[in-house]
Amino acid sequence: MTTETIARPGTGSDYARLLQRVTDAGLMRRRPGYYVVRIGLILGLYAGGLAAFFALGDSWWQVGVAVFFAVMFAQVALVSHDIAHRQVFRTEKPTRMTGWVTGNLLVGMGYGWWMEKHTRHHANPNHEELDPDVRPDVIVWSKEQARSSKGLARIIGPRQALLFYPLLLLEGLNLHVSGFRSLTNPKLKFKAVEGVLLTVHVVGYLAALFMVLSPVKALIFLAIHQGLWGLYMGSVFAPGHKGMPTLKQGEKLDYLRRQVLTTRNVRGGVVTDIAMGGLNYQIEHHLFPNMPSPHLPLAQSFVRDHCAEIDVPYYETSLIQSHHEALQHMHEVGEPLRLGNLE
């Protein structure tokens, strides 16, 4: 799919008809029972991991606990994502409070910062000026960004496809730092609560590591846990949009086309659904952000059929292929930096 493919006009009624269909099928209704079970299981496993950590003491078996907690942090973050989209609660207060617990306290990720950033991403996915996830920072996402890049992006850009996964090993630490940095943002609400919860997480985390483990084991645990957590998170979120068409200033689409044409689904079974928290149905999630995640696979047939009716490409591929396409795209857009074709 090329950028030219997405420069097609559409009408809002296309989305309205689709929304009516999934609503009539009951797919927008909350699933409290599902989330009670899911959150209960995650919290139970999280607590079990803490018990194992303290029971094992200063042992090299803690490497396995570090890997376990990389998975658990990702699973907590994924359920926090559902909470933030109001898939669990209808109203703001319980949503915000559970978001603070799951985000700030349990994984050390600033809920308010992430919520603001993710909201902008959903409004304009893959828009080079409006989507914070494709703005040039360490990685560039278009040849135009490559040509005008500065700093780390200019250094990393020529080989960013090769460096992508190593960079993801730092994503966990980046999430922690971004949460603390957001506390200086005057627009962030509830700074005191978020700051206290983030501090409690970091202080408790480091205190537990260095009280239970020797300094060497503590540092190894930290590196494995934080590195694999970042790798997991990046590997879940990258397939949805990386390597799909991007939009530039002045290119306008209706809501349905803006979401579908910049987004990719990942095929898979139950294991994929659990590992990705339902975000393998990224198209459906973007069309219906507050649809409970267990309903996303049920909505897929409605969305696919509707896209066929209105002649809008609906793209789905395997997990391996999605990562291949993302890496290929990163390699291609880094070409100006490899050739020295700069502004």
Side-chain angles (χ1 to χ4, degrees), residues 135-140 152-154 156-157 160 167:
R135 286 184 177 175
D137 184 7
V138 175
I139 292 178
V140 294
L152 276 177
R154 179 160 290 195
I156 291 172
Q160 61 182 15
L167 287 170

Side-chain angles (χ1 to χ4, degrees), residues 180-304:
F180 278 103
R181 287 177 60 188
S182 71
L183 298 176
T184 64
N185 184 349
K187 295 181 180 180
L188 180 69
K189 298 179 180 179
F190 310 106
K191 291 181 184 179
V193 175
E194 295 223 23
V196 167
L197 291 175
L198 285 172
T199 301
V200 168
H201 172 87
V202 171
V203 171
Y205 178 89
L206 293 177
L209 286 187
F210 287 95
M211 287 175 61
V212 172
L213 304 177
S214 67
V216 171
K217 290 190 183 75
L219 291 173
I220 291 174
F221 186 106
L222 189 149
I224 292 173
H225 172 221
Q226 296 295 327
L228 292 182
W229 176 44
L231 182 64
Y232 189 159
M233 292 294 288
S235 297
V236 166
F237 282 93
H241 302 281
K242 306 313 179 190
M244 294 298 287
T246 58
L247 289 169
K248 296 179 175 60
Q249 196 68 37
E251 295 180 323
K252 295 183 178 181
L253 298 170
D254 69 301
Y255 178 79
L256 184 145
R257 288 164 177 79
R258 187 164 69 247
Q259 303 300 334
V260 175
L261 296 173
T262 60
T263 306
R264 168 199 298 115
N265 269 17
V266 173
R267 287 193 298 269
V270 175
V271 174
T272 304
D273 290 356
I274 294 173
M276 299 187 69
L279 294 183
N280 43 319
Y281 303 99
Q282 188 74 195
I283 294 173
E284 287 71 27
H285 171 60
H286 263 259
L287 288 170
F288 315 108
N290 61 345
M291 178 182 285
S293 58
H295 288 171
L296 295 174
L298 302 177
Q300 186 177 39
S301 60
F302 289 91
V303 175
R304 187 188 286 119

Side-chain angles (χ1 to χ4, degrees), residues 142-192:
S142 71
K143 290 185 177 181
E144 291 77 8
Q145 289 181 353
R147 293 187 185 99
S148 60
S149 63
K150 299 177 182 178
L152 276 177
R154 179 160 290 195
I155 297 170
I156 291 172
R159 296 174 180 81
Q160 61 182 15
L162 290 173
L163 296 173
F164 179 64
Y165 295 113
L167 287 170
L168 286 183
L169 295 173
L170 300 174
E171 180 59 20
L173 294 177
N174 178 56
L175 291 173
H176 295 311
V177 171
S178 295
F180 278 103
R181 287 177 60 188
S182 71
L183 298 176
T184 64
N185 184 349
K187 295 181 180 180
L188 180 69
K189 298 179 180 179
F190 310 106
K191 291 181 184 179

Side-chain angles (χ1 to χ4, degrees), residues 113-124:
W113 159 77
W114 181 86
M115 181 70 175
E116 188 275 336
K117 173 177 176 287
H118 196 62
T119 298
R120 287 189 287 133
H121 160 70
H122 265 266
N124 292 281

